[in-house]
């Protein structure tokens, strides 16, 4: 069954078709949310909110863009809302993640020694922390471009900004990320 068939069935209220869409895109939505929010629980909450919104508003999907573009736009909008709420409530966001949390995310190569695993984990933690400290507009483009490996055109469509703006933000985000990681250069 094609994606278009699933979408048509979803628009008619077919829950099984929606479940298939959910299964297909759940991991990608969670990854984008985690990249933007830097918190596992918030990422799962955001993903749940994304799919609730998709279920409720699938009829409004006009198919002018691809379904994934529409889905990722919803994801980035919900994550941006969560980040704004965090800032308004002045919540402190912990930059410290336990090693256990990292093991759930990291793909561990069994051929690595324990020391190499610790070093790799520290590097990844430093990068995640640095990404979480970026401005929201930089965090989202870094996540979409460098983690989700989307093209500039796809990112521009998701964020509804010109391609040049995407390029500029990615460049600035990478410069900012590099500066933040210079303090931990012994890991790299």
């Amino acid at each position: 069954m094609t994606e278009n068939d699933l979408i048509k069935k979803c628009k008619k209220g077919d829950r099984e078709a929606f479940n298939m869409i959910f299964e297909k895109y759940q991991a990608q939505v969670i990854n984008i949310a985690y990249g933007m929010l830097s918190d596992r629980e918030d990422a799962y909450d955001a993903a749940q909110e994304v799919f609730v919104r998709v279920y409720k508003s699938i009829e409004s999907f006009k198919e002018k863009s691809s379904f994934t573009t529409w889905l990722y736009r919803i994801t980035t909008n919900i994550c941006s809302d969560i980040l704004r709420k965090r800032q308004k409530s002045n919540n402190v966001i912990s930059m410290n993640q336990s090693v256990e949390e990292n093991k759930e995310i990291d793909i561990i190569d069994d051929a690595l020694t324990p020391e190499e695993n610790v070093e790799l984990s520290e590097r990844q933690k430093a990068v995640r922390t640095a990404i979480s400290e970026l401005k929201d507009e930089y965090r989202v483009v870094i996540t979409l471009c460098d983690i989700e490996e989307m093209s500039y055109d796809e990112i521009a469509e998701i964020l509804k900004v010109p391609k040049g703006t995407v390029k500029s933000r990615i460049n600035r985000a990478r410069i900012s990320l590099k500066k933040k990681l210079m303090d931990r250069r012994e890991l790299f």
Side-chain angles (χ1 to χ4, degrees):
M1 185 176 308
T2 68
E3 187 175 276
N4 287 337
D5 293 336
L6 287 174
I7 292 166
K8 287 175 185 173
K9 286 185 174 196
C10 284
K11 287 183 175 185
K12 293 178 182 177
D14 185 328
R15 288 184 184 215
E16 185 60 35
F18 179 78
N19 288 339
M20 292 172 76
I21 286 176
F22 173 79
E23 290 295 323
K24 183 175 182 178
Y25 293 108
Q26 177 186 21
Q28 292 165 304
V29 168
I30 290 170
N31 284 338
I32 291 170
Y34 183 72
M36 289 183 67
L37 302 172
S38 301
D39 181 89
R40 178 179 308 287
E41 294 304 318
D42 284 350
Y44 282 104
D45 290 346
Q48 182 176 358
E49 191 174 334
V50 166
F51 285 105
V52 167
R53 190 171 297 175
V54 167
Y55 185 77
K56 288 181 177 179
S57 63
I58 190 79
E59 298 86 24
S60 70
F61 175 57
K62 304 289 186 221
E63 300 175 41
K64 291 180 183 176
S65 62
S66 72
F67 176 76
T68 53
T69 298
W70 184 71
L71 177 65
Y72 297 157
R73 183 178 302 133
I74 292 171
T75 304
T76 58
N77 287 343
I78 286 174
C79 290
S80 294
D81 290 345
I82 291 170
L83 290 169
R84 275 192 292 277
K85 287 176 187 173
R86 276 186 191 169
Q87 290 171 349
K88 285 182 182 177
S89 65
N90 292 326
N91 285 341
V92 176
I93 301 167
S94 173
M95 298 299 180
N96 300 323
Q97 295 177 336
S98 71
V99 174
E100 202 60 36
E101 285 180 10
N102 286 339
K103 285 185 181 177
E104 291 178 21
I105 298 167
D106 298 337
I107 298 173
I108 299 174
D109 182 354
D110 292 332
L112 296 177
T113 66
E115 294 82 11
E116 290 170 329
N117 276 329
V118 168
E119 188 177 312
L120 175 62
S121 178
E122 287 297 315
R123 261 190 252 129
Q124 290 172 334
K125 183 178 176 181
V127 170
R128 278 192 205 100
T129 299
I131 289 173
S132 73
E133 293 171 351
L134 293 174
K135 290 181 179 180
D136 295 347
E137 63 186 18
Y138 295 161
R139 188 183 309 174
V140 69
V141 293
I142 283 288
T143 300
L144 295 176
C145 181
D146 294 336
I147 297 173
E148 293 300 317
E149 299 179 346
M150 292 183 185
S151 71
Y152 293 157
D153 290 328
E154 290 172 312
I155 296 168
E157 192 172 346
I158 289 167
L159 299 178
K160 293 185 179 178
V161 297
K163 185 176 174 181
T165 301
V166 170
K167 289 180 180 181
S168 174
R169 286 182 185 172
I170 288 171
N171 185 48
R172 290 182 186 140
R174 287 177 178 159
I175 290 168
S176 181
L177 195 57
K178 182 178 178 181
K179 287 178 185 175
K180 290 179 184 306
L181 292 173
M182 288 303 287
D183 294 336
R184 304 289 313 265
R185 62 179 162 258
E186 72 277 358
L187 293 174
F188 303 94

